[in-house]
Amino acid sequence: MNKAALKRMTKRTEFYIFIVLVVLCIIIHAVSGGKLLVPDKIFTILRALVVDGIFALCCLVVMISGGFDLSFPAVAALSYSLAATICLNNGWCNTNPVIGFVLASVFGLILGMFNGVIIANFKLNTMLVTLGTQTLFTGISMGLLKLKEITSKLPKGFKALGTAKITSYTTTIGSRQVSSDLTVTIFFLIIFCILTSFLLNKTMFGRALYAIGGNEVSAERAGYNVKKIKFILYSVVGAVAGFAGMLRVCLTSQAVPKALVGKEMTIIPAVILGGASIFGGEGSVFGTMCAMTMITVVSNSMLLLGIDSKWQDLFNGLIILIGITVSALQAKRRNG
């Protein structure tokens, strides 16, 4: 690697996030008595990262475009609750969960289109719009449709996917043996990471997102159809959120309408910490995944370190403040 490439790398937020992640893992592993960097704990962290990682990718592309999406947990929850209810009532997905994923993705697409129409045509603040639709979608789920929790009656096809494993690791705790599985659902996260990276770096649509996030007026003058791009963006994000929500149903073996309330307060800090600017035009898949992994590691290591999980909110708050400060300083430096 030449000096110019090294200099460019060290200027990127992702580089430092990766270094911090590695150092943090080593410290936690040492302090916990060697309990973090072991197969069973790594499998647990990867399992927790699957759904949150896909949600983080949804937030990333929206933030690159200069927007904020607070509604993706409500979109996912309404989509998977509807899909699971329909599958249960019709006796579907007892052997294959594909129909459930298709339904959840379609419902997510429709809800995302609703966001897209409002944001693209009325040029309203995306944070306020998605805050409003978040409340609306939750109200539809809990009030209008009165969707119920599905646990023991969940179609077997969902449970089968959630428990399907690549490999497993058995450890002895006291007098009993505990098995941890590396589930096949990790492949979905890998696929979405590859697709998102390709979209952002190798397509005109990805370049358009960076251009709009950098300066929407300039992007429009350059020939980008901003309305169309924003509509497509929020529609696709809605579909992916619905898909990710159904993955959560498979992994937890339950469809709970309000299970994702507040999830955005974990995901958004990770995306900001990973290098996405709150002003738009910046962000990468690698940085987002590093930051999301860091937050997941901390969250799953608190019991190992004897720290009350309530401190997680303090950690997330600090991450938001740090991320916003870094974004503001970067914007100030770019603008001279």
Side-chain angles (χ1 to χ4, degrees), residues 11-14 272 275-279 282 323-336:
K11 283 186 175 181
R12 299 180 67 87
T13 305
E14 299 94 315
I272 296 173
S277 172
I278 58 173
F279 302 104
E282 289 188 16
I324 291 173
T325 301
V326 171
S327 293
L329 290 174
Q330 288 176 337
K332 185 177 181 180
R333 186 176 61 187
R334 287 197 307 271
N335 296 330

Side-chain angles (χ1 to χ4, degrees), residues 154-292:
L154 189 72
K156 295 179 180 178
F158 296 134
K159 295 181 179 180
L161 177 60
T163 55
K165 59 187 178 183
I166 302 171
T167 186
S168 61
Y169 177 81
T170 303
T171 185
T172 302
I173 300 177
S175 59
R176 59 193 180 90
Q177 289 189 326
V178 179
S179 179
S180 299
D181 299 329
L182 178 61
T183 65
V184 298
T185 54
I186 191 66
F187 287 123
F188 289 106
L189 176 59
I190 294 171
I191 290 169
F192 275 108
C193 283
I194 293 171
L195 290 176
T196 306
S197 184
F198 178 80
L199 173 75
L200 292 175
N201 299 305
K202 302 295 183 181
T203 68
M204 285 296 295
F205 188 81
R207 286 191 282 273
L209 293 180
Y210 280 107
I212 293 170
N215 190 312
E216 187 172 323
V217 175
S218 297
E220 206 158 16
R221 288 174 180 171
Y224 291 111
N225 188 333
V226 175
K227 284 186 178 181
K228 181 179 179 181
I229 291 168
K230 284 189 175 183
F231 175 76
I232 294 173
L233 171 64
Y234 285 92
S235 300
V236 172
V237 164
V240 174
F243 185 95
M246 189 52 74
L247 269 180
R248 188 185 187 281
V249 170
C250 295
L251 287 167
T252 60
S253 294
Q254 58 182 8
V256 181
K258 294 195 73 173
L260 295 176
V261 172
K263 175 61 73 175
E264 68 278 2
M265 297 313 296
T266 302
I267 306 300
I268 292 176
V271 179
I272 296 173
L273 182 65
S277 172
I278 58 173
F279 302 104
E282 289 188 16
S284 71
V285 171
F286 179 71
T288 297
M289 286 299 103
C290 283
M292 193 70 249

Side-chain angles (χ1 to χ4, degrees), residues 124-172:
L124 299 174
N125 183 285
T126 55
M127 184 181 292
L128 295 178
V129 170
T130 55
L131 179 62
T133 55
Q134 176 194 58
T135 306
L136 174 64
F137 298 153
T138 302
I140 291 173
S141 176
M142 304 301 297
L144 182 64
L145 299 178
K146 292 181 170 54
L147 295 172
K148 305 295 184 182
E149 295 183 8
I150 303 174
T151 52
S152 59
K153 295 182 180 180
L154 189 72
K156 295 179 180 178
F158 296 134
K159 295 181 179 180
L161 177 60
T163 55
K165 59 187 178 183
I166 302 171
T167 186
S168 61
Y169 177 81
T170 303
T171 185
T172 302

Side-chain angles (χ1 to χ4, degrees), residues 35-54:
K35 295 180 180 179
L36 177 63
L37 301 178
V38 291
D40 58 326
K41 197 62 181 178
I42 292 173
F43 290 172
T44 300
I45 290 170
L46 290 175
R47 179 187 176 92
L49 193 60
V50 171
V51 175
D52 286 357
I54 297 174

